[in-house]
Amino acid sequence: MSRLVVIRQLDARTPYLEGWEQQRTIHAAVVDGSAPGTLLLVEHDPVYTAGKRTRPEDRPFDGSPVIDVDRGGRITWHGPGQLTGYPIVTLPSPVDVLVYVHHLEAAIMQVCADLGIVTERQDERTGVWVPADDRGPARKIAAIGVRVARGVTMHGFALNCDNALDAYHRIVPCGIRDAGVTTISEELGRRVGIADVVDAVEAALRTELEDWIA
């Protein structure tokens, strides 16, 4: 078993660029063997980030600034009320990024299930989704975008807890026009914040990753 070291930075919000630099530092240490696999859990200041597949028409309609990053996927938002997690771990060989993404999805789906929220995966769309129902089309409750370099992961997932959703209205979230975005609080009809789910998220990720990662 490869036990994850968990760093929680939730007493104050982490500026995105500061968190990205911290990821790079940890990544280098995991690659050279001087640090174990690490899970970094943060809450960011409001920011849009654009993955490598982002298209011009996905970007904010109001000209809001965007940080271009080296992860997969397209554009998304991070900010208060959203738990963002960065597992920085060595994947088993041969590296299979899709299997890794499915482990992240499974962990978040378990957390949602324990809260009473039904979720699903969608073909060709990463992330965790609340299926379409009488309230509307399918809606994403957690976004996932990763990068693997030298066999070690970076970036990760963003789980919407009790964040406002208005920032998503200024972009095409993840480049998807025929679906919506939601939060745990929205689905349950009561406030569920980061502090209410972080222990469960950490436990679920340990269950999914610790017996699998290298």
Side-chain angles (χ1 to χ4, degrees), residues 135-203:
R135 295 173 55 199
R139 45 210 181 268
K140 183 178 282 192
I141 200 166
I144 293 176
V146 303
R147 178 174 186 251
V148 180
R150 301 182 67 183
V152 177
T153 62
M154 285 183 65
H155 302 286
F157 65 88
L159 174 60
N160 292 336
C161 298
D162 62 346
N163 49 287
L165 296 175
D166 55 318
Y168 290 104
H169 301 157
R170 295 191 286 274
I171 61 172
V172 180
C174 303
I176 297 170
R177 297 180 181 273
D178 60 347
V181 182
T182 191
T183 68
I184 292 173
S185 298
E186 181 79 10
E187 295 303 315
L188 293 179
R190 58 182 174 86
R191 183 183 178 279
V192 179
I194 290 173
D196 299 311
V197 302
V198 63
D199 289 346
V201 169
E202 178 182 329

Side-chain angles (χ1 to χ4, degrees), residues 93-174:
S93 183
V95 169
D96 190 324
V97 178
L98 183 58
V99 170
Y100 169 62
V101 168
H102 282 173
H103 278 289
L104 299 185
E105 291 169 341
I108 296 168
M109 291 172 76
Q110 184 61 57
V111 172
C112 290
D114 290 344
L115 289 167
I117 302 172
V118 174
T119 59
E120 65 182 9
R121 293 189 179 100
Q122 292 204 347
D123 292 342
E124 299 181 4
R125 291 178 172 178
T126 59
V128 175
W129 296 80
V130 175
D133 55 21
D134 56 6
R135 295 173 55 199
R139 45 210 181 268
K140 183 178 282 192
I141 200 166
I144 293 176
V146 303
R147 178 174 186 251
V148 180
R150 301 182 67 183
V152 177
T153 62
M154 285 183 65
H155 302 286
F157 65 88
L159 174 60
N160 292 336
C161 298
D162 62 346
N163 49 287
L165 296 175
D166 55 318
Y168 290 104
H169 301 157
R170 295 191 286 274
I171 61 172
V172 180
C174 303

Side-chain angles (χ1 to χ4, degrees), residues 16-99:
Y16 186 85
L17 290 175
E18 179 181 309
W20 192 10
E21 182 58 33
Q22 186 174 6
Q23 283 190 72
R24 286 192 285 253
T25 298
I26 296 170
H27 182 274
V30 174
V31 167
D32 70 20
S34 61
T38 300
L39 170 62
L40 180 61
L41 295 169
V42 304
E43 180 183 25
H44 283 306
D45 288 327
V47 65
Y48 292 110
T49 69
K52 293 181 290 186
R53 295 193 301 111
T54 300
R55 299 174 180 172
E57 60 269 25
D58 298 337
R59 293 174 179 265
F61 313 138
D62 64 354
S64 295
V66 177
I67 297 175
D68 290 282
V69 296
D70 56 358
R71 61 166 170 79
R74 290 162 76 170
I75 195 166
T76 194
W77 173 87
H78 297 297
Q82 181 191 75
L83 177 61
T84 302
Y86 301 121
I88 304 169
V89 298
T90 302
L91 298 185
S93 183
V95 169
D96 190 324
V97 178
L98 183 58
V99 170

